[in-house]
Amino acid sequence: DAKTTQPPSMDCAEGRAANLPCNHSTISGNEYVYWYRQIHSQGPQYIIHGLKNNETNEMASLIITEDRKSSTLILPHATLRDTAVYYCIVKKGGIQGAQKLVFGQGTRLTINP
Amino acid sequence: AAGVIQSPRHLIKEKRETATLKCYPIPRHDTVYWYQQGPGQDPQFLISFYEKMQSDKGSIPDRFSAQQFSDYHSELNMSSLELGDSALYFCASSLDIYGYTFGSGTRLTVV
């Protein structure tokens, strides 16, 4: 699976959009980009995933560049409860049963009042 | 909706004791993953099971073993516990390549 690079920490004001970047320059054609977050000591929580196209759900939007070498997770109106470590993970599609998620460093996002 | 259930939530053991952690996946999910997260660390993959067979193995010590039972629940057995085994242990389950749901974790403290 391709490696990812994320800034170690970011701050954002409450109510503003939080934009979290991720570089995955070695991503291959059948690899998806996943985003998870972990609020302090809780289990990681799925946010969103995508392959090529931009994606949006009730939690966030995912913008993937045309060359797929980087992506941005957008939390449109950040709240204090969005303070967490955000993980960008690149993973192949394929055979079920061998699809572990490999967590890298992640970005510690702090939402300030 | 049913989530991944882990038990116990907290566990305190002495060095050299054994511990068993349990994980009950979401109904119909056929794959279970175990992760260990030390203080200030990112979750580290230990082992996974697909349809009751071990499907992948990570940095799991030989002192640890795990299995998935016929009802798809899984147990992580840890023997000869060491102080360094103190960590959060998460279980996740999935049915397809997209949906991974994590439990709330078991906090193991070895004293």
Side-chain angles (χ1 to χ4, degrees):
Chain A
D1 295 333
K3 289 190 176 179
T4 62
T5 304
Q6 299 177 249
S9 63
M10 292 182 63
D11 285 85
C12 180
E14 188 178 19
R16 305 297 294 267
N19 297 284
L20 291 89
C22 178
N23 286 322
H24 31 79
S25 58
T26 59
I27 193 170
S28 58
N30 65 346
E31 289 181 318
Y32 292 76
V33 179
Y34 290 81
W35 283 85
Y36 278 74
R37 73 180 182 184
Q38 187 176 27
I39 297 169
H40 181 63
S41 294
Q42 297 181 19
Q45 178 190 24
Y46 167 81
I47 301 173
I48 199 167
H49 77 279
L51 182 61
K52 295 182 190 176
N53 300 320
N54 298 337
E55 302 288 344
T56 295
N57 63 20
E58 65 277 6
M59 289 182 69
S61 294
L62 174 61
I63 308 298
I64 303 174
T65 57
E66 193 168 343
D67 63 7
R68 303 212 318 126
K69 293 185 177 183
S70 65
S71 59
T72 301
L73 178 74
I74 301 172
L75 307 178
H77 306 286
T79 71
L80 298 178
R81 288 176 294 181
D82 292 322
T83 292
V85 178
Y86 287 76
Y87 294 97
C88 169
I89 300 170
V90 171
K91 151 162 298 307
K92 284 188 179 62
I95 301 171
Q96 170 60 347
Q99 299 298 314
K100 64 180 182 287
L101 294 172
V102 178
F103 292 86
Q105 178 184 338
T107 296
R108 184 172 298 278
L109 176 67
T110 302
I111 306 301
N112 301 306
Chain B
V4 176
I5 307 297
Q6 290 189 245
S7 68
R9 290 296 306 274
H10 302 275
L11 190 58
I12 299 176
K13 290 285 186 179
E14 295 188 354
K15 284 192 302 184
R16 293 179 290 278
E17 284 193 315
T18 61
T20 298
L21 309 185
K22 296 185 179 182
C23 171
Y24 297 86
I26 290 173
R28 295 189 299 113
H29 281 198
D30 53 17
T31 306
V32 168
Y33 309 82
W34 284 97
Y35 287 82
Q36 178 191 57
Q37 186 172 26
Q41 305 290 315
D42 302 306
Q44 298 295 313
F45 171 73
L46 290 177
I47 195 167
S48 63
F49 293 87
Y50 169 58
E51 283 291 347
K52 293 156 278 184
M53 299 289 290
Q54 182 181 308
S55 55
D56 200 354
K57 195 170 180 180
S59 312
I60 184 168
D62 292 340
R63 300 177 289 108
F64 292 10
S65 65
Q67 58 182 324
Q68 186 178 32
F69 294 85
S70 57
D71 64 352
Y72 292 97
H73 94 272
S74 179
E75 295 184 3
L76 177 66
N77 298 293
M78 298 176 283
S79 62
S80 302
L81 287 169
E82 303 174 355
L83 295 178
D85 297 328
S86 295
L88 274 167
Y89 289 83
F90 290 107
C91 168
S93 74
S94 70
L95 178 61
D96 53 41
I97 63 169
Y98 306 118
Y100 300 73
T101 303
F102 284 79
S104 299
T106 294
R107 182 177 294 279
L108 172 67
T109 304
V110 181
V111 297

